[in-house]
Every structure is written in C-alpha cells, then in structure tokens.
Amino acid sequence: MTQSQEGPHKEDVAIVGGGVLGICSALALQEAGRKVVIIDRAEDGLKTSEGNAGAFAFTEVMPLAAPGIMLKAPKWLLDPLGPLAVPPSYALKIAPWMLRFWRASWPDRYRASIQHQAELMRLTQTALEDLIKTVGGEELMCREGQLQLFEGRRSFEADLPARKAKTEHGIRFEVLESHGAIADIQPGLSDQFTHAVFTPDWMNTIDPAAWLRHLTGIFLSRGGGFIEEEVQKLAPGEDGIALQCKGKRVLARQVVVCAGAWSHQLAKTIGDTIPLETERGYNTTLPQGAFDIRTHLTFSDHGFVASRNKGGVRIGGAVELGGLKLPPNYKRSKALLEKAKSFLPGLEAEGGTEWMGYRPSLPDSLPVISRASADPRVIYAFGHGHLGLTQSAGTGRLVAELAQDRAPSIDLKPLSGTRF
C-alpha cells in the first residue's frame, strides 16, 4: 500500500502518524466522506499503541499531577526504578515542564482536569462501542473488569478521594475489604493484598497490536492510502499544507497531527510551542500459560499492571520522564517483573519479551485536540499520555467534527494547544 510516485502528492486529508489515534481519526474522517492518507515512518513498524497493556481505562479520570505530588519529587531522582522516575541527567531539561506539572496539581486545576477528563471519557466510551460494532471487533475485546489492589487499610483509605471522584462522575465500582473477596475474582494473588476496588465496566483488547492491524485493514479496505515517510516540517501555503518529508513533499487540504511523542516538533514548525514530554513506559510480555489472569490487575502502590495479552500476561507500566533520546533502562521492566513474581506467586516469569514505548504527556494529563493556532487547516490530536488507546475512538470523532466544521461533541477549549 506504500505510495512511491515521485513529486508532490495532492491529498484531501493527510494524517501524520499511523498509531491507534491516527487510525481512529482516519476511520472517522472516512465515515464523514473524506479521502484520507496516513503518513508514517513505517507501515508495519511497532508503534507505542501496540505495546501497551491493552486497557480501555475509562474510569481513570485522575490526573497524574495530584495535590501534594511534588513533595515526592526528590524520590523521583533518587529511585530510578520507582513508579515515577526522572533520570538525573534529564532533570534540568525537564524543569520547565515540571513547573507546569506543579501548577496543574493545585486543587483548582486538579478538579478542572478531572471534570474535563471525565467528559472526554464518556464521549470516547460511546465512540468505542460504536467503532467495535462498525468494524466487527468484538472478538478482540475482553470484558472482565479490573481489580485495583491495595496493601492494607492505610493504602486503601489514601485512595478515598479518587473513589469519591469516580462516584461523582457515575463510575460503577465495588469495594472489597478482604483477601477472600479478592480471591473470588482473581485467585493466586499474594495475601498481602487486603483491599481492592473492582470495576466491572472496565474492558481490554486481548491484543493491542491485533486491534491496530484490524483497524488499519478496515481503513485500507475503504480506500485509505499510506505513505511510508518521516514528516519533518509543515508549511502552510495558499494551495494547502505542505508536508516536507525526507524523500518527498506532500500537499494536503487538511493535516491532522497524531505523531505521538514527536507531535510537538511538528507543531513547532508552524509556530506552536506545546509543552509535550515523554512518559517512557516499560513492560514484559510473558508467553501463554504464564498465569491464569482473569481480570485486569492494577497494583496501585507500585504503579504497574498485569493484563492478558494473546493468551499470555503483560506486566508493565510506571512512568519514566526521560524524553526521546536517552537509551532504554530495561532494569525498570525487570524490577516490575520481580515485583509481579512476588505479588503473583504462581507466575511463570521465564521466556518474556521486554519493550519500551514513548507515551506523549502534557502537564495536566489532558491531550491537545484542537486546531493549530497558526493555521486552522492543521488539527492537533496528541498528548494523551498513557490513555491514548483508551481515548482513541473519541478523539477520532472529535477530529472529524473539527475537520468538517461541525460543533464538537464536548467543549474543546480545555484541550486547546494554546492553554499553556
């Protein structure tokens, strides 16, 4: 499907980025009658949206920047394997972003972020169900809920504000206050987990890579195009938006930037400075039979999860704010796996595959979904952090509404690229 003709391409809509956000935006635009081409560095290359835990985490409305979180900042520098870490060599570079992150943790901004996140989650949950039906994707879904696990009452009570926020936004959950009640849902857990919150409406895809391939196949079958190139610059002109790639120049009527952790670099080429950072996430995928996992497991005090993946188990998560250039620190994935072995005593931890992905993150945990300030023909859809898969269908719907000049389904002012 790669286009290789020489010379400039004149396209209707060009989407930069073929991950799950780009594909969902492309499908929504096709539904609106638009002709779409995706430009990505590799048609079949591994993308961040393929290596995640597979969760559609619609209940996760709490921002990373919570009140009081900056009191923990010294630990981020001292514990390179902790749930949230900043490599010392990157601390100075990330300082401006951290200042905005601190401001986002103030109670007024924090409450507003929860409200906006919840609105986006409600939209995208509906949009995902519509998408699953449209593309025949139910066989790739797993609807077995989620267990959020706590070690002792103190840890459980510390989560009370989050549970109150979920109640306020109509999120269903069940409180479990004994290891026996937890074991009824997920046998085989260490008895150190005494409390849990079970979310029955949580869902996963059983294989994020297969879900992305399925969506991509639908897009191509509907006449979608693909250009295997790396976009280096956007240049608005009277005849359209020029996308300067390494090997060619592409011209499009409209452009959607869904390039994940690299998106802010393209935005900067047309004058928009957006404080995007990178949550580097690590995981290990264990083969089939590693553990009888019956629901998505979230180890709240340790910042990682265990989920089903292709019949095996994927152990991953945590946040390393380390940018795009530092080499991977796979000691992090090994540390998560060691913890998982103690939390799941029967886990067969051999034969796993390690992975690291770049999750584009903004200080207030909200994405940018808006027109570019420099040119309304450019639409931004990036910065979802670890919620890119979760919010992909809803983001695609909003992108199509912007592209068609229709009133958006939710207020997009809080998601503007100029809000910082």
Side-chain angles (χ1 to χ4, degrees):
M1 288 295 177
T2 300
Q3 299 181 20
S4 59
Q5 299 92 333
E6 295 299 325
H9 294 253
K10 293 184 179 180
E11 308 291 351
D12 181 18
V13 184
I15 295 179
V16 185
V20 71
L21 285 155
I23 290 294
C24 285
S25 297
L27 290 170
L29 285 162
Q30 285 181 324
E31 287 285 339
R34 305 297 296 274
K35 185 73 173 176
V36 184
V37 63
I38 289 175
I39 309 176
D40 199 289
R41 289 173 294 181
E43 185 170 6
D44 296 317
L46 184 63
K47 301 174 178 67
T48 299
S49 47
E50 296 180 51
N52 58 46
F56 294 101
F58 300 120
T59 66
E60 299 303 293
V61 298
M62 312 303 288
L64 185 61
I69 194 170
M70 293 305 291
L71 297 176
K72 304 176 183 178
K75 295 181 181 179
W76 303 345
L77 295 173
L78 297 174
D79 184 4
L81 303 181
L84 198 160
V86 178
S89 60
Y90 198 69
L92 186 61
K93 186 169 184 178
I94 202 177
W97 188 93
M98 293 301 303
L99 184 62
R100 291 188 173 96
F101 182 79
W102 169 68
R103 179 64 184 92
S105 73
W106 292 12
D108 60 331
R109 298 276 181 92
Y110 179 71
R111 289 190 296 269
S113 291
I114 293 174
Q115 177 65 38
H116 304 322
Q117 196 73 279
E119 290 174 357
L120 180 56
M121 290 297 194
R122 285 192 289 270
L123 167 67
T124 201
Q125 188 168 14
T126 299
L128 177 64
E129 295 292 357
D130 291 343
L131 179 63
I132 291 170
K133 292 176 183 177
T134 299
V135 304
E138 186 60 41
E139 66 179 13
L140 291 170
M141 297 298 130
C142 175
R143 301 175 184 268
E144 296 178 343
Q146 176 231 23
L147 269 176
Q148 184 181 10
L149 298 156
F150 302 94
E151 300 170 76
R153 179 164 291 279
R154 177 178 294 183
S155 171
F156 175 69
E157 290 179 348
D159 184 63
L160 181 59
R163 295 198 295 277
K164 286 183 176 179
K166 290 176 181 178
T167 299
E168 290 172 3
H169 292 285
I171 297 169
R172 293 198 308 140
F173 61 86
E174 177 185 353
V175 170
L176 308 175
E177 298 193 65
S178 73
H179 181 74
I182 296 170
D184 287 341
I185 296 174
Q186 177 60 71
L189 281 162
S190 167
D191 60 9
Q192 69 197 84
F193 297 105
T194 58
H195 295 71
V197 172
F198 181 65
T199 308
D201 298 329
W202 184 287
M203 63 183 289
N204 287 53
T205 171
I206 59 173
D207 184 348
W211 175 238
L212 181 58
R213 287 195 301 269
H214 182 74
L215 295 178
T216 302
I218 298 294
F219 165 70
L220 295 173
S221 72
R222 293 177 178 176
F226 189 95
I227 299 175
E228 187 174 336
E229 279 284 356
E230 179 179 346
V231 181
Q232 299 177 318
K233 181 180 179 181
L234 303 179
E238 291 184 5
D239 54 348
I241 305 295
L243 300 94
Q244 185 59 53
C245 307
K246 278 190 174 181
K248 64 184 67 176
R249 177 177 175 269
V250 179
L251 188 66
R253 178 185 170 195
Q254 286 182 310
V255 170
V256 182
V257 178
C258 295
W262 292 266
S263 298
H264 63 306
Q265 297 174 356
L266 288 177
K268 195 171 184 178
T269 67
I270 57 171
D272 282 332
T273 300
I274 298 174
L276 189 74
E277 260 302 334
T278 305
E279 294 181 29
R280 292 146 55 102
Y282 294 82
N283 67 47
T284 302
T285 303
L286 301 171
Q288 190 168 357
F291 188 80
D292 180 19
I293 189 164
R294 301 184 184 182
T295 186
H296 184 94
L297 303 175
T298 300
F299 299 97
S300 299
D301 296 328
H302 303 273
F304 76 97
V305 305
S307 61
R308 186 187 303 181
N309 185 267
K310 295 185 287 188
V313 178
R314 181 165 283 173
I315 306 292
V319 173
E320 180 188 51
L321 295 167
L324 293 167
K325 295 182 179 180
L326 293 180
N329 178 12
Y330 286 113
K331 291 181 180 179
R332 292 183 64 80
S333 55
K334 290 178 173 62
L336 296 180
L337 187 58
E338 286 300 312
K339 285 185 176 181
K341 286 164 62 177
S342 66
F343 298 163
L344 305 168
L347 181 69
E348 296 289 340
E350 303 300 320
T353 302
E354 293 181 320
W355 177 87
M356 185 198 78
Y358 300 100
R359 300 174 295 196
S361 183
L362 291 157
D364 56 5
S365 296
L366 296 170
V368 168
I369 306 173
S370 71
R371 294 185 177 89
S373 65
D375 194 307
R377 294 172 295 178
V378 177
I379 296 170
Y380 296 144
F382 57 81
H384 297 71
H386 54 277
L387 296 171
L389 175 68
T390 298
Q391 297 176 337
S392 54
T395 298
R397 180 171 292 183
L398 292 167
V399 165
E401 290 168 349
L402 286 171
Q404 296 296 100
D405 288 322
R406 299 201 304 263
S409 298
I410 61 173
D411 181 12
L412 291 181
K413 185 176 180 180
L415 309 182
S416 168
T418 62
R419 69 182 185 268
F420 300 101

